[in-house]
C-alpha cells in the first residue's frame, strides 16, 4: 500500500496554455532515474491520484514533474491551479522499470518520446550514470506544435554535456518548423529519416529503443520496428530490442 507524504510547491511554471511543470519539496525515498511517483489531491473528499514521471535527476532534491492539462480531467486542471506554497500528496517510494538497469548493452540507445513523456529521459540524462555503455544516444521529442518543446533548452544543455554521444531530434507533427522534422515517429523510422538526420543506424544488431508516450505512438512505432528492423519486445526472460512505457 502506498505511503503518502505531503509535498510543497516551490515553483510553478506554465509553458503554454496546457503544458506546465511543478517543482516540489517532499520527504521521499531515493528513486532511480526513469521511475515515477503518484501525485494526489483531495477533491470533494476523495483522494484523486495519477502517476507522473520524475523529470529531475535522483541526485536533485528539487522534485520536478511535467504535465498536460487534460480537458475535463479530474486531477490535472487542479494541479495547474497550484501555486508556490500550496501542498499536494506524493508517494514516498517510486515505481517503474523504465530504467537503464533494465536495458541491455548496445551500441546505440534510442530514447523516443512524445509530449510530457520526455520526463524520464531527462531524468536519466541529467543523472548521467551508466551512459558509458552506449556509443550513441538519440533523444527524440515529438510534439504537435513548436511551442510544445518546453524542455528544448535543457535538451541543448545535455547535448553540450555529452557532445560526442548525445544526438537531439525534435519532431513537430502539425506545422513545419526550422530545425525540426515533420510528421509522425513511425513514418520517420519507416522512411529512414531518423537515421539520415542522425547518421546513426537503427537496427537489431546495434540498437535498443526506449519508447515513452501516448499509446498510439508506442504501438505504431513498435510495429514498425518489428516489421522493418527485425526487432522484438524486450522482456527480462527473453531479451529484445524495444522497451516501452505508455503515458495513459
Amino acid at each position: 500500500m502506498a505511503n503518502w507524504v505531503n509535498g510543497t510547491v516551490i515553483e510553478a511554471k506554465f509553458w503554454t496554455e496546457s503544458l506546465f511543470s511543478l517543482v516540489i519539496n517532499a520527504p521521499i525515498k531515493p528513486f532511480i532515474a526513469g521511475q515515477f511517483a503518484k501525485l494526489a489531491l483531495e477533491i470533494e473528499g476523495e483522494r484523486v491520484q495519477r502517476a507522473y514521471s520524475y523529470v529531475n535527476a535522483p541526485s536533485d532534491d528539487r522534485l520536478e514533474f511535467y504535465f498536460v492539462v487534460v480537458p475535463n480531467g479530474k486531477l490535472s486542471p487542479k494541479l495547474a491551479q497550484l501555486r508556490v506554497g500550496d501542498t499536494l500528496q506524493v508517494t514516498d517510494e517510486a515505481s517503474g522499470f523504465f530504467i537503464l538497469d533494465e536495458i541491455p548493452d548496445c551500441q546505440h540507445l534510442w530514447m523516443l518520446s512524445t509530449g510530457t513523456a520526455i520526463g524520464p529521459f531527462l531524468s536519466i540524462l541529467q543523472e548521467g550514470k551508466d551512459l558509458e555503455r552506449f556509443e550513441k544516444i538519440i533523444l527524440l521529442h515529438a510534439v504537435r506544435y513548436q511551442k510544445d518543446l518546453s524542455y528544448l533548452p535543457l535538451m541543448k544543455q545535455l547535448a553540450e554535456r555529452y557532445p560526442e554521444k548525445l544526438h537531439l531530434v525534435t519532431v513537430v507533427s502539425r506545422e513545419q518548423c526550422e530545425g525540426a522534422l515533420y510528421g509522425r515517429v513511425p513514418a520517420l523510422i519507416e522512411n529512414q529519416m531518423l537515421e539520415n538526420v542522425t547518421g546513426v543506424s537503427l537496427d537489431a544488431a546495434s540498437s535498443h529503443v526506449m519508447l515513452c508516450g501516448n499509446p498510439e505512438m508506442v504501438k505504431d512505432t513498435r510495429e514498425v520496428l518489428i516489421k522493418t528492423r527485425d526487432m522484438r519486445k524486450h522482456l527480462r526472460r527473453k531479451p529484445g530490442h524495444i522497451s516501452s512505457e505508455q503515458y495513459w
Side-chain angles (χ1 to χ4, degrees):
M1 188 173 180
N3 183 35
W4 295 92
V5 296
N6 288 327
T8 302
V9 177
I10 58 175
E11 186 176 330
K13 180 173 183 178
F14 259 86
W15 303 97
T16 70
E17 65 279 359
S18 61
L19 293 170
F20 68 101
S21 298
L22 294 177
V23 180
I24 70 173
N25 274 336
I28 64 165
K29 297 177 181 178
F31 71 94
I32 302 171
Q35 289 190 308
F36 62 87
K38 289 183 179 179
L39 304 183
L41 291 172
E42 292 288 336
I43 302 174
E44 298 179 354
E46 175 191 1
R47 177 189 281 144
V48 180
Q49 59 183 317
R50 299 287 185 271
Y52 298 101
S53 293
Y54 287 100
V55 175
N56 60 290
S59 55
D60 186 352
D61 59 6
R62 288 168 50 92
L63 310 179
E64 185 168 357
F65 300 92
Y66 185 34
F67 310 86
V68 60
V69 177
V70 178
N72 302 315
K74 293 186 70 174
L75 184 59
S76 61
K78 299 294 185 182
L79 290 172
Q81 296 173 13
L82 296 179
R83 296 296 178 261
V84 173
D86 289 339
T87 60
L88 70 164
Q89 294 178 305
V90 57
T91 49
D92 70 344
E93 192 165 353
S95 303
F97 298 98
F98 199 66
I99 58 177
L100 288 190
D101 287 351
E102 298 290 331
I103 304 301
D105 290 341
C106 63
Q107 187 177 2
H108 305 145
L109 179 62
W110 296 76
M111 298 177 164
L112 310 184
S113 66
T114 58
T116 57
I118 192 172
F121 295 140
L122 295 176
S123 180
I124 290 169
L125 291 170
Q126 288 184 96
E127 185 68 357
K129 293 182 179 178
D130 206 25
L131 301 184
E132 64 278 356
R133 292 199 288 133
F134 314 106
E135 181 180 314
K136 300 292 183 183
I137 299 174
I138 299 85
L139 175 62
L140 179 148
H141 191 199
V143 297
R144 294 180 178 182
Y145 301 100
Q146 186 176 27
K147 66 180 181 179
D148 300 331
L149 294 168
S150 308
Y151 283 92
L152 185 56
L154 176 56
M155 292 169 63
K156 291 180 177 179
Q157 289 177 21
L158 290 167
E160 292 177 359
R161 180 175 169 184
Y162 309 110
E164 302 300 322
K165 184 182 294 287
L166 182 61
H167 293 254
L168 303 182
V169 180
T170 54
V171 179
V172 179
S173 63
R174 297 197 178 179
E175 62 182 358
Q176 297 277 358
C177 302
E178 184 177 355
L181 298 179
Y182 175 77
R184 295 187 67 242
V185 173
L188 295 171
I189 292 174
E190 196 161 23
N191 64 19
Q192 300 186 341
M193 183 62 71
L194 289 187
E195 291 166 286
N196 291 340
V197 299
T198 61
V200 179
S201 60
L202 174 55
D203 54 56
S206 67
S207 302
H208 192 95
V209 180
M210 299 178 74
L211 298 172
C212 194
N214 70 71
E216 184 178 7
M217 184 281 283
V218 171
K219 174 179 174 293
D220 292 348
T221 302
R222 184 191 298 123
E223 290 178 353
V224 167
L225 291 170
I226 291 171
K227 178 183 176 181
T228 68
R229 300 297 194 276
D230 196 30
M231 291 183 165
R232 63 178 180 271
K233 187 175 180 179
H234 177 66
L235 303 170
R236 280 181 168 178
R237 64 182 182 275
K238 189 177 181 181
H241 320 91
I242 307 167
S243 300
S244 62
E245 183 136 290
Q246 296 181 180
Y247 250 46
W248 63 77

